[in-house]
Amino acid sequence: MRVREMLKMRDSNGARMLTLITEQFMADPRLALWRQQGTTMTDKYRQLWDELGALWMCIVLNPHCKAEQKSSWLRQLRRWNSVDVCPWEDGNHGNELPNLTHSLPQGAHGNQELRPHRTVFTRAIEACDLHWQDRHLQHIIASDLYANYCYHDNQDGSLFDSRGWPMWHEHVPTACARVDALRSHGYPREALRLAIAVVNTLRRQQQRQLEHFRRHKKELLHKGHTSTTNLEGWVGHPLDPIGTLFSTLTESGRGGEEGSNTCLDLSDCSSVVSRAELQRMPVQRLLGDGESYVALAVETALIGLGQQRVMPDGLYAQEKVCRNEEQLLAKLQEVEVDDSLVKIFRKQAVFLLEGGPYSGLGEIVHRESVPMHTFARYLFTSLLPHDAELAYRIALRAMRLPVLESTALPGDLSRPHHMVSVVPNRYPRWFTLSHIESQQCELASTMLTAAKGDSRRLETVLESIQKNIHSSSHIFKLAQDAFKIATLMDSLPDITLLKVSLELGLQVMRITLSTLNWRRREMVRWLVTCATEVGVYALDSIMQSWFTLFTPTEATSIVATTVMSNSTIVRLHLDCHQQENLASSARTLALQCAMKDPQNCALSALTLCEKDHIAFETAYQIVLDAAATGMSYTQLFTIARYMEHRGYPMRAYKLATLAMAHLNLSYNQDTHPAINDVLWACALSHSLGKNELAAVIPLVVKSVKCATVLSDILRRCTLTTPGMVSALHSRRNSGKLMSLDKAPLRQLLDATIGAYINTTHSRLTHISPRHYSEFIEFLGKARETFMMAHDGHIQFTQFIDNLKQIYKGKKKLMMLVRERFG
């Protein structure tokens, strides 16, 4: 915003311009609409409000502002703050945070009244109570030469670090807001001095926290759970304290703000050290030997990113944590790594691993703490060329995701007072969980790629993935990544990495076996491909333990079928003995699946067992055993057609008769999908001979009530002699057409005539005029069937007379019947 540039030039119009901008923002009608509809504002618009709140912090923290100005700003801020549509600080409707801005050593607590919700102006309102009169603070800002021998009120040793350099103990975001205010008002050198004092404090706190944890380590680890030390993390914080320190230090390192010769004049404060006094002090630099502003900025970023902090409530606040972390890491990646930075990486990595509850990478973290996956991936890639062991320790420690652990315990309420326990069980209000899991997956993939060729490291990474990643989709992605890396075209396959890929694939199979996953079929196919690449023993292994990995349908239709395919045999370069062993395992699997799920696996089992007589007979017997209760007519007809195709017509006939027993075709189902199967079954029995046809017709009469289907079957049976279709069964041929006056065709003819009579009455019950012509055509087909009987003409005439008598009220229809049939 232009406001910051105006503030740097110490233009008094900056505050007025910001007031006008804020008024315009508060009058935006979208605010009321969003609040009324319960929807959230866009991220870009939301970030503008954040910037507005940060600018007001800079305004009220102006070192030279007068009391009456601050009072005026405070009234404005309170007025805006009280408006219902004023955006809340975390973007979440209903969050309440304690007043952390006033955790100050000055004793200037001001107004302690807590609002039910913190708005974007709350921190600026609280900052109106802050001042710049602290003598130690003024010394820090005033000179580069300030050290412990310049100040004699340091009785408790808390104002200077072990090197004698000044520290500033204030709530870190508040201290950094002072730094931002100094920079914004055109005092870069003073901002740099205060920033370095804050960083010195962070370093000292980190060291003391480590010492404290080491003293109480046994007790803390024995409890097995911990609390977070910060409800407000520094990364993702509304005031962006780490980002402020980083930019202040790096811009000074590039000389971006060194041109300013203007000094902050606080001469109205009696406690400021005089320039004559400062000139008598020994020369003291802001940095130690071998240090640089950039190195200090990097270390500050590492401290902030590694802080254990609780995941905030609300979608916006959680997205902001992720976004700020990525922005900070992007800035770190622009820094060229040299030996001095490698030392910092090593130092901070050790601190993070051993920092206990103060570190996001400590041995035990709180269930609700922000995960370290993205940060750890940066540390891993930075440390790997220089200290691989430390890099893997960091990455493996960061892999955990306690919020998804069902056994995770809530925070320990017995912690010391400075360790704030948070409310447990807020999951699943982690709106960014999918993003977090994808970052966890990226970290694991990075480790897998780096560990290629190192069996010990690969095994360790595999164990970590299996323990910590709970998403089957992400594990599958890792398995695919490992497979691609292991089978690069320009080298021989890495068998160790291939085995890792296979193990991950097996885990995916186990996870998704009892849960729905739309990619399941793809996963099964991929696993067979991976096992094929590993070798014949891997294929045999997955077939031996198929019931823990696949459904019976998958095992037969995908696994066993692929294993027995020619492409697999060629790929594995198997000899005859190996082929037979593999085929034997596949047939055993198919029979087991057919026993477990005959409806879906019987046909596949028969197909897979074709070349082995004993196995084929076993599969056929399984079908017969299941036919009575466990299989539908559709499945039985399908297997029966397969049997005919394979040259087993009698078995096909047997299965067709079993299928007919399950079928029921009502009078109006003349388009039923099973009609073709019924016609095929009758044609098959007709081709086999008179006895087979005589056996199947009673089944047809019992199962089929549709007149048109019965008449179609009747005509087909009268066109040829039974047994004439196939020369193989010509021994059954009597040489004569079957008589319609004798069994079994007489029974079929009577059933067909009866079906036409019943269907006619059913259709006349609710017939409408638009269906009259269609009904007359139906009666015409019925007459053709009646005429096939020796007394058919008499029966049909009686039938028509009965219709005229019963349905004489349907005059128009009966007139049409008389015109057509007399």
Side-chain angles (χ1 to χ4, degrees), residues 1 63 79 151 172 212 225 477 523 599 670 673-674 780 794 800:
M1 283 188 175
R79 177 170 59 84
Y151 190 84
V172 172
H212 177 271
H225 55 273
K477 179 184 181 301
M523 292 170 173
Q599 298 95 327
D670 52 0
I794 298 172
I800 293 298

Side-chain angles (χ1 to χ4, degrees), residues 177-211:
R178 291 183 185 273
V179 174
D180 192 25
L182 288 170
R183 292 179 68 213
S184 297
H185 286 283
Y187 302 106
R189 190 67 183 176
E190 288 79 357
L192 178 62
R193 292 168 185 151
L194 182 56
I196 292 174
V198 173
V199 175
N200 289 337
T201 311
L202 295 181
R203 285 166 149 181
R204 176 71 171 272
Q205 286 177 348
Q206 189 181 49
Q207 182 63 46
R208 289 194 168 180
Q209 288 168 352
L210 179 60
E211 293 168 359

Side-chain angles (χ1 to χ4, degrees), residues 19-169:
T19 301
L20 292 174
I21 293 172
T22 306
E23 291 286 1
Q24 290 176 356
F25 269 56
M26 292 297 295
D28 193 330
R30 290 177 294 179
L31 290 177
L33 184 63
W34 282 323
R35 180 64 61 88
Q36 182 181 1
Q37 295 177 346
T39 54
T40 56
M41 58 185 73
T42 62
D43 280 351
K44 187 174 181 180
Y45 191 73
R46 173 70 239 200
Q47 290 168 29
L48 288 174
W49 276 104
D50 286 348
E51 178 68 11
L52 205 62
L55 280 170
W56 274 111
M57 281 290 287
C58 291
I59 293 290
V60 300
L61 284 175
N62 181 356
H64 282 304
C65 75
K66 298 177 181 178
E68 56 271 21
Q69 286 179 312
K70 189 173 286 190
S71 297
S72 173
W73 295 333
L74 181 59
R75 285 193 298 272
Q76 285 183 159
L77 289 167
R78 283 177 172 166
R79 177 170 59 84
W80 294 325
N81 193 59
S82 63
V83 178
D84 288 341
V85 297
C86 184
W88 297 341
E89 182 178 74
D90 64 349
N92 180 34
H93 301 284
N95 186 43
E96 182 176 346
L97 287 175
N99 185 337
L100 295 178
T101 305
H102 286 145
S103 302
L104 306 175
Q106 302 176 1
H109 294 280
N111 181 15
Q112 293 295 317
E113 182 181 355
L114 294 179
R115 286 180 49 80
H117 305 299
R118 296 176 63 81
T119 74
V120 292
F121 301 118
T122 302
R123 293 183 187 274
I125 291 171
E126 294 169 352
C128 288
D129 293 331
L130 302 178
H131 58 77
W132 296 84
Q133 276 75 42
D134 185 274
R135 188 163 181 253
H136 180 59
L137 174 62
Q138 293 174 7
H139 281 317
I140 292 170
I141 293 172
S143 174
D144 298 348
L145 311 178
Y146 181 51
N148 58 351
Y149 41 76
C150 307
Y151 190 84
H152 305 291
D153 294 342
N154 185 31
Q155 296 177 357
D156 59 356
S158 63
L159 301 183
F160 299 91
D161 62 18
S162 58
R163 300 172 299 178
W165 290 7
M167 298 186 296
W168 178 239
H169 293 279

Side-chain angles (χ1 to χ4, degrees), residues 323-339:
R323 184 169 57 248
N324 282 22
E325 180 182 39
E326 289 166 0
Q327 290 170 349
L328 200 52
L329 288 172
K331 292 177 182 178
L332 283 172
Q333 287 166 347
E334 294 174 0
V335 178
E336 185 177 350
V337 178
D338 55 19
D339 291 342

Side-chain angles (χ1 to χ4, degrees), residues 225-292:
H225 55 273
T226 185
S227 303
T228 56
T229 56
N230 289 279
L231 278 176
E232 275 193 327
W234 299 332
V235 175
H237 191 279
L239 299 179
D240 190 19
I242 300 299
T244 298
L245 293 176
F246 189 88
S247 57
T248 302
L249 292 167
T250 52
E251 288 174 16
S252 296
R254 291 193 298 265
E257 294 182 336
E258 291 294 337
S260 174
N261 295 318
T262 307
C263 296
L264 174 62
D265 182 12
L266 296 172
S267 55
D268 58 319
C269 304
S270 60
S271 59
V272 175
V273 181
S274 68
R275 295 209 170 270
E277 185 181 348
L278 287 174
Q279 290 171 359
R280 293 195 298 271
M281 296 177 181
V283 175
Q284 178 76 22
R285 294 177 299 171
L286 286 172
L287 301 176
D289 293 334
E291 283 188 335
S292 67

